[in-house]
Amino acid sequence: MIEQSIQFIDTHAHLSLTQFEQDREVAVERATHAQVARIIEIGFDLASSRAAIALAEAYPQIFAVVGVQPNHLNELPEAWLSELRAMAAHPRVVAIGEIGLDFYWMKAPLEAQEQAFRAQLALARELGLPVVIHSRDAATDTLRILDHAARGQPGVMHSFLGDWSFAQGCLDVGFMLSFSGPLTFSKSTALHEVARLAPVDRLLTETDSPYLSPNPLRGQRNEPANVALIARQLAALRKEPLPDVAKQVWTNAEQLFSKLRA
Ligand code: NI
């Protein structure tokens, strides 16, 4: 029997950002060498959503997610939602995101954030696509909206950094939890608990590159190759073999982002 080699997936990266201007191609190559066989490139406004599609067209291992994040609502053209709808028809667009609420930066009032969030949840439902959720300092309102507008809809809470109570709320709505660099920090004890307690079929891994580098690379620019460190930490916390965890995360990602299988 041939043992299948481990394959990792980075479900959330921003390779289109200027931090990768000098070495984007090399960063993608490093990911391949680190056995990161798939990368999901996430849009946060219209331009980065278009860039995500361009990357997905350029690299067979990259897929795209299109959406407008709550910190980027202010300069949207009137027809932004129909532009997103048109982009989402692309065969390599696997979800709508990142969308949600951000009360840390609060660049738009709650009402405007909620309206854009709900409009994109409805768009995803209309198109039969999953959603990638951004929620910063906004757990209660995020759950209120998801509970009302996204129950039964497939989705993931990206870069999950909350406690078990918030995790339970997300799981209850039916969402997956995606772990990022902070899972590797020794002080993230509440997060470690979430990683131990979460059901095995709800776990995902991501880098959120270029942000949130895991240990021991904290403070450096993050890149998709580093998702292996997060999978390793997830396996250690759950006391499960790394190949099993990697395989399960891969399966979970294909379950959530069904266009990955097409
Ligand atoms: Ni992001």
Side-chain angles (χ1 to χ4, degrees):
M1 199 181 104
I2 301 161
E3 200 184 316
Q4 221 190 339
S5 61
I6 299 183
Q7 288 188 312
F8 300 106
I9 177 164
D10 182 359
T11 66
H12 196 114
H14 302 286
L15 288 169
S16 75
L17 290 175
T18 51
Q19 284 93 331
F20 290 103
E21 213 165 47
Q22 304 300 321
D23 66 345
R24 191 168 291 118
E25 183 139 15
V26 184
V28 174
E29 263 171 45
R30 273 195 296 267
T32 303
H33 287 136
Q35 293 171 273
V36 181
R38 273 183 190 155
I39 299 166
I40 302 184
E41 170 74 15
I42 311 283
F44 49 85
D45 60 11
L46 292 179
S48 59
S49 295
R50 274 182 222 112
I53 292 174
L55 280 166
E57 286 175 342
Y59 297 94
Q61 68 273 45
I62 299 183
F63 291 80
V65 169
V66 299
V68 178
Q69 200 249 26
N71 298 330
H72 298 268
L73 296 172
N74 291 326
E75 281 161 32
L76 286 176
E78 209 169 311
W80 67 278
L81 207 56
S82 39
E83 283 196 41
L84 273 187
R85 183 181 287 107
M87 282 192 249
H90 193 283
R92 295 178 67 82
V93 171
V94 298
I96 298 294
E98 54 185 290
I99 61 175
L101 300 175
D102 195 315
F103 296 168
Y104 178 82
W105 292 108
M106 206 48 129
K107 296 209 173 164
L110 166 63
E111 297 71 34
Q113 292 194 31
E114 177 161 351
Q115 197 180 16
F117 187 15
R118 284 181 182 271
Q120 293 178 93
L121 287 172
L123 177 65
R125 191 182 286 279
E126 171 198 324
L127 301 173
L129 288 173
V131 286
V132 176
I133 308 296
H134 169 103
S135 176
R136 188 156 182 200
D137 292 354
T140 307
D141 285 281
T142 302
L143 284 180
R144 171 178 60 78
I145 294 166
L146 291 180
D147 192 40
H148 178 261
R151 189 161 274 282
Q153 205 168 341
V156 56
M157 193 59 63
H158 119 75
S159 190
F160 187 86
L161 299 173
D163 58 11
W164 179 237
S165 145
F166 183 37
Q168 279 178 300
C170 299
L171 293 167
D172 183 52
V173 173
F175 276 31
M176 295 198 185
L177 308 175
S178 183
F179 295 100
S180 56
L183 188 70
T184 65
F185 304 164
S186 57
K187 282 185 179 164
S188 303
T189 50
L191 193 56
H192 295 166
E193 190 192 10
V194 173
R196 282 190 203 99
L197 295 175
V200 69
D201 59 350
R202 302 289 193 94
L203 308 169
L204 291 177
T205 54
E206 67 169 78
T207 59
D208 204 11
S209 297
Y211 313 112
L212 298 177
S213 271
N215 268 335
L217 308 167
R218 202 170 173 177
Q220 298 176 27
R221 183 195 70 176
N222 202 3
E223 60 177 62
N226 300 336
V227 84
L229 293 167
I230 293 144
R232 204 171 286 282
Q233 169 73 344
L234 188 58
L237 288 165
R238 294 176 66 88
K239 299 189 171 32
E240 289 166 15
L242 178 64
D244 293 5
V245 168
K247 198 173 174 189
Q248 181 72 48
V249 166
W250 187 275
T251 304
N252 295 349
E254 288 197 329
Q255 180 68 33
L256 178 64
F257 304 109
S258 57
K259 280 169 85 177
L260 286 177
R261 287 174 281 166

